[in-house]
């Protein structure tokens, strides 16, 4: 028995709290929580903004709350491999990419039924996420390569007879034939090598930069893609027309020779044997290299007055050197976990993400969506968007997509990186790489 | 209930938490790992078939496994000896009273506090040719040092490992020094023994058990090295700096072959197990035995 005003107030408060709790539980039961993995960095930051907008707006109508799970950038895929291997339903949506969607396919469910308008996307993005005719990933960011170069140095070279003569002498020494310097937009792989020599003090003591270029030669699966661009730029590929491994081709050998020459003749820093994305940016920012093959994501940093005060207004981009110009393209994506307990809610969220409006918000938040129209609409935010859209469409290629694609990238960089920097013989490295690729293709 | 039964029960009850912990976190994973190593478990396949010793034979016939074994063994041997030598020298230096000793001890053990992966990233920045402090200072004196080039990179990895883990061996050996019987040293001083002779003929023999403890713990740790090397070199160029841990990691998470990765891990365990009784025998050596 409760006596007095205090007791009544206590009863009323208790009743109100109970009612509120019941109401909240009912609301919670109405809302489905969708857990989605992404990695930290620009993609995770941009997606978080889109997720927040959805959760506060459309999500309330759909009865869906999206929760982002950010894993570390280094081992996101390793953690996901473990989850998939154990048949876990911890997360509803995995973070994937064109180079590993085949590897994860066993744990994924096709998203053909979410009503995706594939015409909005780059064809390479859709093709790279399609296995046996079924789509296994919703494309997010597109990644390609540019040739970043110092426009001031190139203008100076092309406008000076004295420097042109010097370039001819150096190119004759390096290539066995004298060449005139060209604008980077017209470079083939030999022009690239000759220019690397010309802008290196090891070959030209009057060079304005210490090194001509920067190799990203660390044993990393992503670094093989830069070498791939030379291979494709010479008309080669990982595979022959019949689908068999083709890394003992003359094109592959020439690509190896170019990297090896650049490294051994010191047209790149000797330390670049362990360099990757970050060090390449640092070399360009410090003015120690005249040009470099680098990911499109670097554009924002290299042209930012605060982060690149010495060179921000002198950096320009060109297609990757080659005839034909060729840039590796891969697409980051999200894929539906086959074991998810919330498939319908996850598909609803993915369908929302596929809309141009959602991708526009993603672009404005710092992502690089794989919808060309959205990129073109947002060139005021990132001037590189226009070039990305143009290069992906004109020069983009996809490495062969099969369950062992990422494993192949790792195997090739393991075998070839030693050849790039003189640790192993070029022919032996290519032979070994070819046999490993062959084994993976056959598997 | 007799007192013997009560005593036995008490022993089991008191040991239970540790036994349960070991069962859950050591014995069970070991059994599971052994089982997986005998299957073809892979991320690419929905079925799991028993394959017996096939994974072991495949691993033992893989040149990359042996290349990783060679590098890991060499790396472990060099870094273990170096950390023991430097740790002991530091312990001898610090084993006396002087002002600021506490501060120095704190500074000395700081490197252990840094996560190995972070250590790798730190040195990647500090030694960078364009933005690093060390190359900038060296350039002032007209010196160029390319520590990440294939000629130096193995040495660099050894130096970083020694830098990070010398404090660990120092702590164990310093504790060992502190525990040595002082009367032996007093007798040596009375007999006019030189510092050199005292160190090599009294201190070092008495410290053998401590050396074995520190050496064993350090060797086991070095054998598992992954983070620093993975961050700095990814195991390359080629497979020049690939350790067993990196080999196993790639088998499991890049190739998705959990069976092969488990077999490689079991083989590493089998390589280490024979050393354990040897170490235990040495660690339990009495001072009297040494003398």
């Amino acid at each position: 028995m409760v006596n007095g005003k205090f007791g009544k107030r206590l009863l009323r408060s208790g009743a109100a709290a109970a009612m509120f709790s019941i109401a909240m539980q009912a609301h919670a039961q109405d809302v489905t929580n969708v857990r989605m993995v992404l990695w930290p960095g620009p993609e995770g930051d941009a997606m978080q903004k889109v997720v927040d907008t959805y959760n506060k707006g459309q999500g309330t109508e759909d009865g869906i709350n999206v929760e982002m799970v950010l894993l570390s950038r280094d081992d996101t895929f390793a953690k996901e491999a473990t989850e998939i291997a154990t048949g876990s339903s911890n997360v509803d949506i995995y973070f994937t990419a064109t180079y590993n969607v085949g590897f994860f396919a066993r744990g994924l469910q096709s998203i053909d039924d979410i009503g995706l308008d594939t015409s909005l996307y780059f064809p390479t993005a859709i093709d790279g996420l399609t296995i046996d005719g079924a789509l296994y990933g919703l494309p997010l960011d597109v990644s390609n390569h540019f040739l970043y170069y110092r426009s001031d140095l190139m203008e100076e070279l092309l406008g000076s007879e004295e420097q042109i003569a010097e370039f001819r002498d150096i190119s004759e020494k390096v290539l066995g034939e004298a060449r005139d310097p060209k604008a980077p937009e017209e470079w083939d792989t030999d022009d690239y090598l000759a220019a690397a020599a010309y802008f290196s003090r090891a070959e030209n003591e009057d060079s304005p930069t210490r090194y001509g270029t920067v190799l990203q030669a660390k044993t990393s699966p992503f670094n093989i893609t830069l070498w791939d661009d030379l291979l494709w730029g010479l008309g080669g590929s990982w595979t022959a027309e019949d689908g068999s491994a083709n890394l003992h081709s003359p094109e592959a050998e020439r690509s190896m020779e170019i990297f090896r020459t650049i490294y051994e003749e010191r047209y790149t820093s000797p330390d670049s044997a362990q360099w990757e994305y970050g060090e390449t940016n640092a070399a360009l920012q410090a003015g120690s290299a005249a040009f470099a093959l680098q990911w499109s994501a670097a554009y924002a940093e290299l042209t930012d007055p605060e982060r690149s005060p010495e060179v921000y207004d002198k950096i320009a981009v060109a297609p990757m050197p080659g005839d034909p110009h060729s840039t590796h393209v891969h697409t980051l994506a999200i894929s539906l976990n086959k074991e998810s307990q919330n498939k319908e809610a996850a598909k609803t969220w993915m369908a929302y993400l596929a809309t141009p409006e959602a991708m526009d918000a993603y672009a404005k938040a710092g992502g690089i969506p794989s919808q060309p129209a959205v990129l073109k609409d947002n060139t005021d935010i990132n001037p590189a968007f226009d070039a990305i859209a143009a290069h992906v469409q004109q020069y983009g290629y996809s490495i062969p997509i099969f369950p062992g694609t990422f494993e192949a990238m790792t195997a090739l960089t393991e075998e070839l990186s030693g050849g790039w920097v003189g640790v192993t013989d070029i022919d032996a490295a290519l032979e070994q790489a070819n046999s490993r690729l062959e084994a993976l293709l056959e598997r | 209930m007799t007192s013997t039964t009560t005593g036995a029960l008490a022993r089991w009850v008191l040991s239970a938490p540790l036994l349960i912990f070991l069962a859950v976190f050591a014995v069970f994973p070991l059994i599971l790992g052994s089982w997986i190593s005998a299957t073809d478990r892979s991320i690419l396949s929905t079925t799991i078939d028993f394959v017996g010793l096939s994974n072991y034979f495949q691993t033992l016939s893989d040149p990359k496994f042996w290349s990783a074994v060679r590098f890991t063994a060499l790396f472990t041997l060099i870094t273990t000896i170096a950390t023991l030598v430097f740790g002991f020298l530091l312990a001898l230096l610090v084993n006396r009273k002087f002002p600021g000793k506490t501060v120095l001890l704190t500074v000395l053990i700081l490197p252990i506090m840094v996560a190995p992966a972070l250590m790798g990233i730190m040195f990647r920045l500090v030694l960078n040719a364009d933005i690093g402090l060390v190359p900038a200072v060296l350039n002032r004196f007209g010196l160029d040092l390319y520590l990440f080039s294939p000629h130096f990179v193995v040495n660099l990895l050894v130096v970083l490992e020694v830098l990070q883990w010398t404090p660990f061996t120092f702590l164990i050996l310093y504790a060992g020094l502190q525990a040595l019987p002082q009367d032996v040293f007093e007798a040596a001083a009375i007999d006019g023994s030189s510092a050199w002779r005292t160190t090599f003929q009294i201190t070092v023999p008495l410290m053998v058990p401590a050396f074995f403890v520190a050496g064993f713990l350090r060797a086991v740790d070095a054998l598992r090295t992954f983070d620093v090397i993975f961050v700095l070199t990814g195991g390359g160029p080629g497979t020049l700096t690939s350790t067993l841990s990196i080999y196993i990691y790639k088998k499991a998470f890049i190739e998705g072959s959990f069976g092969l990765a488990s077999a490689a891990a079991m083989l590493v365990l089998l390589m280490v197990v024979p050393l354990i009784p040897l170490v235990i025998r040495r660690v339990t050596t009495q001072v009297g035995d040494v003398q």
Side-chain angles (χ1 to χ4, degrees), chain A residues 1 32 44 63 132 143 167 194 245 281 327 350 382 400 423 429:
Chain A
M1 177 69 72
T32 307
D132 296 333
S143 279
F167 187 96
N281 281 358
T327 174
M350 288 168 99
N382 184 341
V423 170

Side-chain angles (χ1 to χ4, degrees), chain B residues 115-197:
Chain B
L118 189 60
M119 190 92 167
I121 292 166
M122 243 165 55
F123 276 95
R124 219 179 156 78
L125 292 170
V126 168
L127 299 173
N128 180 275
D130 293 302
I131 56 170
L133 181 68
V134 174
V137 171
L138 290 174
N139 285 345
R140 283 285 171 99
F141 297 100
L143 293 169
D144 277 330
L145 199 58
Y146 300 108
L147 294 172
F148 291 104
S149 69
H151 302 296
F152 294 108
V153 73
V154 175
N155 300 327
L156 172 67
L157 296 175
V158 167
V159 168
L160 294 187
E161 184 79 358
V162 171
L163 269 178
Q164 176 153 38
W165 295 110
T166 293
F168 174 78
T169 53
F170 156 75
L171 273 181
I172 293 175
L173 297 174
Y174 180 58
L177 274 180
Q178 299 268 296
L180 292 182
Q182 290 308 300
D183 52 345
V184 182
F185 293 96
E186 284 161 11
I190 290 165
D191 291 342
S193 172
S194 66
W196 192 256
R197 198 170 170 189

Side-chain angles (χ1 to χ4, degrees), chain B residues 275-285:
Chain B
L275 301 175
I276 295 173
L278 173 79
V279 172
I280 288 174
R281 253 204 318 276
R282 284 295 187 161
V283 168
T284 52
T285 301

Side-chain angles (χ1 to χ4, degrees), chain A residues 121-245:
Chain A
Y121 293 90
F122 291 115
T124 51
I126 297 297
D127 294 347
L129 294 165
T130 301
I131 302 166
D132 296 333
L135 187 66
Y136 278 85
L138 176 72
L140 293 179
D141 293 71
V142 67
S143 279
N144 68 295
H145 300 145
F146 287 141
L147 168 66
Y148 290 84
Y149 68 93
R150 287 277 301 275
S151 55
D152 56 328
L153 303 183
M154 287 310 304
E155 277 170 28
E156 202 180 319
L157 165 62
L158 295 169
S160 158
E161 276 308 320
E162 192 185 333
Q163 289 192 36
I164 290 171
E166 179 69 20
F167 187 96
R168 281 199 203 104
D169 291 345
I170 289 171
S171 63
E172 183 162 23
K173 183 185 167 190
V174 174
L175 304 172
E177 57 159 350
R179 280 199 174 205
D180 283 340
K182 296 178 197 160
E185 288 74 10
E186 299 167 28
W187 283 1
D188 62 16
T189 51
D190 281 349
D191 295 316
Y192 165 69
L193 180 58
Y198 175 80
F199 283 109
S200 298
R201 295 213 183 113
E203 208 67 66
N204 172 14
E205 59 185 22
D206 298 326
S207 168
T209 53
R210 188 170 187 184
Y211 302 109
T213 190
V214 187
L215 283 192
Q216 295 186 36
K218 185 187 173 188
T219 304
S220 151
F222 301 106
N223 289 346
I224 196 72
T225 61
L226 293 155
W227 177 82
D228 285 344
D229 291 343
L230 292 195
L231 174 64
W232 260 259
L234 285 158
S237 166
W238 281 9
T239 52
E241 281 187 15
D242 62 359
S244 61

Side-chain angles (χ1 to χ4, degrees), chain A residues 202-417:
Chain A
E203 208 67 66
N204 172 14
E205 59 185 22
D206 298 326
S207 168
T209 53
R210 188 170 187 184
Y211 302 109
T213 190
V214 187
L215 283 192
Q216 295 186 36
K218 185 187 173 188
T219 304
S220 151
F222 301 106
N223 289 346
I224 196 72
T225 61
L226 293 155
W227 177 82
D228 285 344
D229 291 343
L230 292 195
L231 174 64
W232 260 259
L234 285 158
S237 166
W238 281 9
T239 52
E241 281 187 15
D242 62 359
S244 61
N246 191 31
L247 287 173
H248 35 39
S249 64
E251 294 85 4
E253 197 163 332
R254 180 62 188 148
S255 311
M256 289 295 288
E257 282 168 1
I258 290 171
F259 264 39
R260 178 77 156 252
T261 305
I262 286 171
Y263 188 80
E264 288 197 330
E265 299 300 327
R266 295 219 172 172
Y267 306 157
T268 180
S269 166
D271 276 352
S272 61
Q274 302 302 343
W275 281 8
E276 45 193 337
Y277 178 90
E279 287 87 356
T280 303
N281 281 358
L284 288 168
Q285 287 165 325
S288 64
F291 55 87
L293 312 179
Q294 175 66 310
W295 295 91
S296 53
Y299 187 89
E301 183 177 337
L302 292 171
T303 56
D304 181 348
E306 281 183 23
R307 289 186 287 176
S308 309
E310 305 292 324
V311 297
Y312 75 95
D313 54 348
K314 304 181 183 83
I315 291 285
V317 296
M320 296 296 274
D323 185 15
H325 297 302
S326 304
T327 174
H328 161 97
V329 176
H330 74 239
T331 308
L332 300 174
I334 51 172
S335 299
L336 183 61
N337 180 5
K338 195 168 71 178
E339 306 298 332
S340 164
Q341 304 295 305
N342 306 302
K343 281 182 190 154
E344 289 313 308
K347 285 182 196 171
T348 304
W349 156 243
M350 288 168 99
Y352 168 85
L353 261 190
T355 60
E357 294 73 25
M359 282 297 100
D360 187 69
Y362 187 62
K364 287 182 166 58
I368 307 176
S370 40
Q371 294 185 356
V374 173
L375 288 178
K376 285 195 170 84
D377 289 346
N378 284 285
T379 46
D380 55 326
I381 295 170
N382 184 341
F385 280 178
D386 217 7
I388 290 169
H391 286 216
V392 168
Q393 281 171 318
Q394 286 176 59
Y395 315 121
Y397 68 88
S398 175
I399 49 178
I401 301 298
F402 59 106
T405 297
F406 193 59
E407 194 181 335
M409 287 164 70
T410 305
L412 297 196
T413 193
E414 217 172 60
E415 299 302 340
L416 301 183
S417 62

Side-chain angles (χ1 to χ4, degrees), chain A residues 74-75 77-78 80-82 84-86 102-104 106 210-211 218-219 263 266 269-271 273-276 279 282-283 286 288 338 403 406-407 410 413-415 417-418 421 423 432 436 443, chain B residues 41-46 64 121 124 127-131 135 139 144-150 153 229-242 249-250 252-258:
Chain A
D74 286 331
D75 61 3
F77 297 134
E80 288 186 342
T82 312
I84 287 172
T86 56
F103 181 70
F104 290 137
R106 176 170 83 79
R210 188 170 187 184
Y211 302 109
K218 185 187 173 188
T219 304
Y263 188 80
R266 295 219 172 172
S269 166
D271 276 352
Q274 302 302 343
W275 281 8
E276 45 193 337
E279 287 87 356
S288 64
K338 195 168 71 178
F406 193 59
E407 194 181 335
T410 305
T413 193
E414 217 172 60
E415 299 302 340
S417 62
V421 300
V423 170
Q432 196 63 26
R436 286 182 75 179
R443 191 182 69 184
Chain B
R41 184 164 187 174
S42 158
I43 196 170
L44 298 167
S45 164
T46 49
K64 291 210 164 27
I121 292 166
R124 219 179 156 78
L127 299 173
N128 180 275
D130 293 302
I131 56 170
N139 285 345
D144 277 330
L145 199 58
Y146 300 108
L147 294 172
F148 291 104
S149 69
V153 73
I229 296 180
F230 194 73
V231 167
L232 286 174
T233 72
T239 51
L240 184 74
T241 59
S242 186
Y249 170 86
K250 285 181 176 175
F253 299 114
I254 304 294
E255 297 179 22
S257 306
F258 296 109

